C-alpha cells in the first residue's frame, strides 16, 4: 500500500511560514535542493492545498527560461510530470498535470492508495496535512529543519489532541546546517 508522506521546510520552532506570511528563510542551497528534487521524484502523486498549489505554479513555466541551471530545470521537469490533486473551495480549474479533488481528503487518499502505481502519496501544505493527520492518514513526517526561530506563523505539526508515536527512520545534516528528520508513524 502506498504511504502518505508530509514533507516541508520548517523553522526550528516548528513553523512552515512565519507570522508575516513569509518563508524567505527557506531557500535551499544546491545540496538541499537536489535532496528535495529526489524526494519529489519518489512520489507517485502529490496532494496540495490551494495556497501551496498557487505557490508551486511557478514551476509550470520556469523551464522556459534558457538561462536556468541544471538543478532548477531538473526540479521543474520532475514537478511538472508529477500527478497532483488540488484541494480548494475557491478554484474552478487548475493547470498542468493537476486535477481538482472530487472528494474529501480521506476519499482521495483511499482512491490513490487503491490505484496501481509506484511512489508514495506526498501531501503538502500545513492546513491540508493537519486534516490528514487528524484523521490518522499520514504515514511519515519529513522535516527539513532550518536553523532559524521565526516566532509564530503556520505550524508544521498539526495542532490536535491526539498523541502520535513516531519512529526515527533517517537523519541527515546538510552543509548549510539544515537538518533532515524522517519519522514513520508507529501503528
Amino acid at each position: 500500500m502506498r504511504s502518505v508522506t508530509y514533507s516541508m521546510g520548517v523553522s526550528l520552532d516548528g513553523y512552515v511560514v512565519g507570522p508575516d506570511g513569509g518563508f524567505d528563510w527557506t531557500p535551499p542551497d544546491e545540496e538541499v535542493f537536489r535532496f528535495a528534487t529526489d524526494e519529489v521524484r519518489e512520489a507517485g502523486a502529490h496532494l496540495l492545498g490551494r495556497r501551496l498549489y498557487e505557490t508551486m505554479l511557478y514551476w509550470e513555466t520556469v523551464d522556459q527560461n534558457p538561462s536556468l541551471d541544471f538543478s532548477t530545470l531538473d526540479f521543474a521537469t520532475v514537478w511538472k510530470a508529477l500527478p497532483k490533486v488540488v484541494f480548494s473551495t475557491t478554484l474552478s480549474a487548475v493547470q498542468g498535470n493537476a486535477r481538482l479533488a472530487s472528494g474529501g481528503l480521506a476519499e482521495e487518499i483511499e482512491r490513490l492508495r487503491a490505484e496501481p502505481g509506484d511512489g508514495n502519496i506526498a501531501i503538502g501544505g500545513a492546513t491540508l496535512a493537519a486534516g490528514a493527520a487528524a484523521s490518522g492518514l499520514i504515514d511519515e513526517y519529513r522535516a527539513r529543519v532550518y536553523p532559524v526561530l521565526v516566532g509564530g506563523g503556520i505550524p508544521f505539526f498539526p495542532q490536535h489532541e491526539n498523541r502520535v508515536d513516531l519512529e526515527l527512520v533517517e537523519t541527515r545534516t546538510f552543509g548549510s546546517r539544515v537538518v533532515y528528520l524522517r519519522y514513520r508513524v508507529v501503528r
Side-chain angles (χ1 to χ4, degrees), residues 36-85:
T37 301
D38 289 341
E39 195 173 54
V40 172
R41 200 181 317 272
E42 293 175 4
H46 203 292
L47 310 178
L48 303 95
R50 180 195 51 82
R51 286 185 298 236
L52 183 59
Y53 165 75
E54 289 175 342
T55 299
M56 297 302 285
L57 278 175
Y58 167 81
W59 295 101
E60 294 296 324
T61 58
V62 71
D63 61 343
Q64 296 169 13
N65 180 345
S67 66
L68 295 176
D69 61 29
F70 173 78
S71 296
T72 303
L73 290 172
D74 188 36
F75 183 85
T77 300
V78 171
W79 181 256
K80 285 175 66 171
L82 180 64
K84 294 169 270 304
V85 180

Side-chain angles (χ1 to χ4, degrees), residues 20-167:
D20 61 354
F23 52 96
D24 59 337
W25 44 272
T26 64
D29 67 358
E30 185 66 24
E31 183 185 23
V32 173
F33 191 65
R34 280 193 313 268
F35 183 83
T37 301
D38 289 341
E39 195 173 54
V40 172
R41 200 181 317 272
E42 293 175 4
H46 203 292
L47 310 178
L48 303 95
R50 180 195 51 82
R51 286 185 298 236
L52 183 59
Y53 165 75
E54 289 175 342
T55 299
M56 297 302 285
L57 278 175
Y58 167 81
W59 295 101
E60 294 296 324
T61 58
V62 71
D63 61 343
Q64 296 169 13
N65 180 345
S67 66
L68 295 176
D69 61 29
F70 173 78
S71 296
T72 303
L73 290 172
D74 188 36
F75 183 85
T77 300
V78 171
W79 181 256
K80 285 175 66 171
L82 180 64
K84 294 169 270 304
V85 180
V86 180
F87 290 81
S88 173
T89 58
T90 59
L91 294 176
S92 58
V94 291
Q95 301 173 29
N97 193 13
R99 67 174 174 82
L100 285 169
S102 58
L105 183 57
E107 292 83 12
E108 288 290 347
I109 288 173
E110 183 178 318
R111 181 179 306 132
L112 288 168
R113 282 184 169 165
E115 289 178 358
D118 294 326
N120 57 52
I121 302 164
I123 190 165
T127 303
L128 189 62
S135 298
L137 298 171
I138 295 180
D139 300 302
E140 285 190 9
Y141 289 88
R142 301 175 178 185
R144 289 179 307 280
V145 182
Y146 285 78
V148 62
L149 302 172
V150 298
I154 298 175
F156 174 83
F157 294 102
Q159 305 298 309
H160 57 79
E161 302 291 321
N162 302 329
R163 174 181 164 155
V164 178
D165 292 320
L166 304 172
E167 171 189 11

